[in-house]
Each structure stands twice: as structure tokens, then as C-alpha cells.
Amino acid sequence: MAEYKLPDVGEGLTEAEIVTWKVKVGDVIAINDIVVEIETAKSLVELPSPYAGEVTALLVAEGETVEVGTPIIAIGEPGSGAAAPADDAPREDPTPADAALEIDLSNPAASGGGEGESLVGRNKADRGPTRRARKAAAPAAKAALQGAFAAGDAADVHVPVEAEPADEPAVPAEPARVVEARDPGSVRVLAKPPVRKLAKDLGVDLTTLVATGPNGTISRADVEGARGGASDGAAGAAGAGASRPLVARGTSTERETREPVKGVRKMMAGAMVGSAFTAPHVTEWVTLDATATVELVERLRKRRELRDLKVSPLLVLAKAVLLAMRRAPEINSWWDDAAQEVVYKHYVNLGIAAATPRGLVVPNVKDADQLSLVELAEALSALTTTAREGKTQPAEMADGTFTITNVGVFGVDAGTPIINPGESAILCFGAIKKQPWVVQNADGDDEIAVRHVTTLALSFDHRHVDGEKGSRFLADVAGILEDPASALLF
């Protein structure tokens, strides 16, 4: 049997959260099959298995954060039998090996429960898929089970899942992480560990809930729904034997909630604080007429080469940035404080800040300065799609040299962006809006016209990028957006 230990999937990451298991105990997998999705300090990552065989145990529950090097899954030879799972998936009922022992458990009285509520007393059809038959169960255990059903108290009998061969020492099965415990009222409740913790934190009584999760389990939605419909007080006013969802007195869950800072958000917070209090930021603004860029985008969308790609003003801005850097290489450099050197980079890894449900990520297009406009459009489309799906890998966010943050998609005019660590500048792209603008008519006279107007804001590290360099770069980018044909001059 092999244990797969949590690997370091990035540069020196020390821990990760188990988000979703892609396999369950009893599954037979091959090398490189995806077994789990984890969240690191940088992104969501799907881990492939380095082993082939049968999943015998999931050693870490979903929602838990563990350190690199911690065993997370056990994989054995196919047919070797699975240990009791440590994951948070509902445990299947043990199935006696002897077919003659298949007993109809649909009678509540046979399981010691009332009104058919005991989850031990389910018939085979209700149980759903079951694992393969185990090796012959111990005669004593089988006799105990038969005697228990005869006495009507089978719910209190523990039967080993599998009897070990006589020539091998018996190893007690590890208890399942999904607790199948007797709660008050003799009602068995199935719930995942994170759901049980949530119920405990919110003061919700699991025995009062109607299970809507898979295989009769209490889901997170069940608990949250009960919390939302509950009220403080009058708990004793219910009739005898009646109960309802409760929220513990004195809790503040009705007015505020707390969310742990971890994963991508934790990394982002640390990086932004470090950058803001290390590099002296200067931000400059320019408002410009982007009508020519809007018209260019409309023409580009009709081009055969770009017809199937997402073409927006962001594409033109990205190209303008790459061209303007030729005149201001300091924008694409980096202040190495430890060595007291300025590192000039002769390549551009262009980052695009993307908001995801798990926090801000900044994947970058490698060697963007070497790409044609069509290739750049393809790269930006792939980058944004991957980011929205939450599947950006750490390598795709590493080694960025310059970043664009597009706040215009939210209708925001501009902002004062914080420079990403390891870079010297970041450009904020505001919304393009129709506004009155002073233009010259054919006679050279000024007149007011409706134009597409936007604002750019550039933050740069003033330790080595002085005002002249930053201003020249920003003016060059603005000039290309105002007149895309001027790009031929770079």
C-alpha cells in the first residue's frame, strides 16, 4: 500500500486546503488520474495520482488545511480491500458476504428505530450501490448479527467489515470521518465533518433537519437554511417531542459572519501589504478620447483571423503597453533591494489581474512582446477563461514583469493600483464611456462632440522610475489609444 503525500505544487508552498475529492474509497485508478482538487496560496490545483491501484482510504477531509508532506490518500493493490474512509463522504452500510444473510431491513422494528428513521434499517434498494462482497465474515460476528435482529436491537451491534485471514493479524478499521452517531431521540444523523462543525457553530440541532444531501446526509444548505429560519427564544414553548432548528443565544451570526483568510486571499493580502509599504508608489492619471480604439475594435472583430476570439479595447491597450515599453524600459525593470541593483528585463510577461471567487489572481502571458496581435488575442482569451474557472496554475502567475488591471468592466473610471511584488509598475484601465468632448471640426474650429472617453492610471516604483519616465510611458500608451495608427512609429 502506498500513501500519496501532499506535494509542493508551487515555489516553496507550505500548506494547502483539500477542496474536493475526485475519487472515493474503492475506486480503481491509474497513474496520472486526477484524485483531488486543492487550494494553495496561489490557485486551485488538480493533483494527479503518482500511483495506480485501488483507493483504500482518504486520509484528509474536504475543507481541511494540511502541510506539504502530509499523507492525504492511501492506494493499494486492486481487490486488496479498502480501509474505513477518513474522508467526508457518507459511509456505505457494511454488506455481509453471505448472500443468505441478506435481510429485509425495511421494517423499523428490526433496526431499533422509530417511524423508519434509523439509517441502519434501510433495505438494499434504498442503500444504493454497495461495494463488492467481503471475504467470509467471522462466524461469531454473523451469529451476533442474527441474534441482534432476532432481539430487535441490531442498531447497537458492531460487526467487523471484514474478517482477516487466520494467518494475518487483524487490524482494526479506522473509524469513518462521517459520523453515524446516535443523537437524542434515537435518530441517526449522517453529516460531513465540516457540516457538523457548521451546525455546532450556529447552534443548529442536526436531529431537527430534513436531509437533502446524497445518500440521506445533512448538507450545508440544510444547516444554513435552518439557521436562516430560526429565531432566539421560546424554545421551551414547543410541544412535547417537538423540536425545531435553533440558533444559540448570544451568537452574532444573525448580524455578522467571519470567514477565514486563507489560500489565494491570504497570499494576495500579504503581497499587497508588502508592496504598499516597501515600494514608494506614485500614481499618474490621463483621460483621453478612445473613439478611434473603439472603432478599430469593431473592425478587428470582423477579421477572419479574429472572428472566433474575444476582441476588446483591452487587446489594443495590451499591444500599446508592449510598444511603449520600448521607449521606457525602466517600466519593465525591477528594484532588487537585497542586491541594491535595478534588474532590466528583456522580455515582457504581461499580467492581467483577474477577480475570482477565491480572490485576486494575476496570471501572465509569457513573452507577450514576441506575439503578434492575433497571438496576443489568443493568449489573453485563454488566460481569462482559465482564471474565471479558477484553474490558473502557479506557474502561470510566476515571473510577471508588468500588470494591467481592467476596472472598467465594473464601470469604474480609474483607481490607484498597488504594484505586484517583483514588478515596478501597474496600469489601471478605466471604463470607456460616451461623454462630451472638445474636438476640432474640418475648419479647425473647436466644437463639442460625443466621444468614447476613458481614463488610465499608472502606479510606478519611484525608487528608480522617475516622473519623466513614468509620464513618457503613460503618454505613449494614451497616444496609441487615441490614434492606433501611431503604433507604426514605435
Side-chain angles (χ1 to χ4, degrees):
M1 180 181 297
E3 288 185 341
Y4 182 18
K5 298 180 179 179
L6 180 67
D8 177 5
V9 295
E11 302 94 12
L13 296 175
T14 60
E15 63 181 19
E17 177 188 347
I18 304 299
V19 177
T20 306
W21 283 108
K22 303 296 186 180
V23 296
K24 61 182 181 298
V25 173
D27 285 353
V28 176
I29 60 176
I31 293 177
N32 290 330
D33 281 355
I34 301 299
V35 295
V36 66
E37 183 180 50
I38 65 172
E39 181 182 9
T40 70
K42 294 188 175 182
S43 65
L44 287 176
V45 180
E46 292 182 335
L47 295 183
S49 172
Y51 309 108
E54 181 180 337
V55 177
T56 59
L58 304 181
L59 306 176
V60 180
E62 291 180 356
E64 290 189 11
T65 299
V66 295
E67 295 182 353
V68 169
T70 302
I72 58 175
I73 183 173
I75 301 171
E77 292 294 330
S80 61
D87 67 324
D88 58 352
R91 183 176 60 181
E92 297 168 356
D93 296 332
T95 303
D98 190 350
L101 196 57
E102 188 69 43
I103 301 174
D104 182 4
L105 303 181
S106 59
N107 182 0
S111 61
E115 301 298 328
E117 291 178 318
S118 172
L119 294 184
V120 173
R122 291 181 291 172
N123 59 31
K124 186 173 181 180
D126 292 335
R127 242 185 354 252
T130 58
R131 300 194 190 105
R132 65 177 68 87
R134 303 295 187 185
K135 299 176 184 178
K142 187 182 298 184
L145 179 62
Q146 292 170 328
F149 278 116
D153 58 354
D156 296 323
V157 177
H158 171 71
V159 181
V161 173
E162 177 179 350
E164 298 292 332
D167 56 345
E168 294 181 10
V171 180
E174 180 182 348
R177 294 298 293 272
V178 172
V179 181
E180 190 176 359
R182 182 182 298 278
D183 287 326
S186 299
V187 178
R188 287 182 175 270
V189 178
L190 283 177
K192 299 178 180 180
V195 175
R196 287 184 176 274
K197 183 179 184 303
L198 176 64
K200 180 179 179 181
D201 293 342
L202 300 182
V204 174
D205 184 356
L206 291 178
T207 63
T208 66
L209 305 185
V210 177
T212 63
N215 300 321
T217 58
I218 300 294
S219 68
R220 176 178 290 270
D222 296 335
V223 176
E224 292 175 342
R227 185 273 307 271
S231 61
D232 286 337
S243 60
R244 61 182 181 82
L246 300 176
V247 176
R249 291 180 181 272
T251 64
S252 59
T253 54
E254 290 293 334
R255 296 175 62 84
E256 64 182 39
T257 57
R258 290 177 176 265
E259 181 178 280
V261 179
K262 57 184 178 179
V264 175
R265 281 193 176 90
K266 184 176 182 179
M267 184 277 296
M268 177 192 68
M272 293 298 97
V273 170
S275 176
F277 290 96
T278 300
H281 285 53
V282 170
T283 304
E284 294 185 345
W285 309 64
V286 60
T287 300
L288 59 107
D289 178 5
T291 303
T293 290
V294 173
E295 294 171 348
L296 173 62
V297 168
E298 292 300 321
R299 293 196 301 271
L300 290 175
R301 287 172 177 168
K302 298 176 183 178
R303 297 281 303 184
R304 176 175 55 83
E305 305 94 322
L306 297 166
R307 195 172 299 158
D308 297 329
L309 299 174
K310 180 177 177 56
V311 178
S312 70
L314 178 62
L315 173 62
V316 180
L317 175 67
K319 192 63 176 179
V321 163
L322 298 172
L323 293 173
M325 280 181 182
R326 297 177 182 178
R327 292 184 179 178
E330 293 82 5
I331 294 295
N332 197 49
S333 63
W334 172 57
W335 178 278
D336 187 344
D337 194 56
Q340 288 296 292
E341 296 175 342
V342 176
V343 181
Y344 288 86
K345 300 179 180 180
H346 305 295
Y347 59 92
V348 182
N349 290 345
L350 182 62
I352 304 295
T356 72
R358 294 182 175 273
L360 180 71
V361 297
V362 188
N364 59 74
V365 178
K366 308 298 184 186
D367 296 314
D369 54 317
Q370 302 298 317
L371 303 179
S372 68
L373 188 66
V374 175
E375 293 170 334
L376 184 60
E378 293 174 343
L380 291 176
S381 295
L383 176 149
T384 54
T385 299
T386 303
R388 288 194 197 99
E389 294 173 350
K391 296 182 179 180
T392 303
Q393 300 303 302
E396 296 172 307
M397 294 184 285
D399 303 322
T401 64
F402 183 87
T403 297
I404 297 174
T405 177
N406 184 12
V407 300
V409 296
F410 305 109
V412 176
D413 292 333
T416 55
I418 298 177
I419 303 168
N420 276 324
E423 302 177 11
S424 290
I426 180 172
L427 183 65
C428 179
F429 186 21
I432 298 179
K433 301 177 180 179
K434 289 184 178 181
Q435 296 182 14
W437 194 259
V438 177
V439 298
Q440 285 188 340
N441 58 27
D443 297 328
D445 298 327
D446 290 341
E447 64 180 19
I448 296 177
V450 177
R451 309 290 285 179
H452 291 88
V453 179
T454 189
T455 299
L456 303 179
L458 177 72
S459 292
F460 53 88
D461 186 343
H462 210 1
R463 287 177 296 183
H464 66 292
V465 181
D466 57 34
E468 185 266 336
K469 293 290 193 264
S471 299
R472 175 180 294 179
F473 172 79
L474 185 58
D476 283 345
V477 173
I480 295 175
L481 292 187
E482 288 179 323
D483 181 12
S486 64
L488 297 174
L489 300 175
F490 289 83

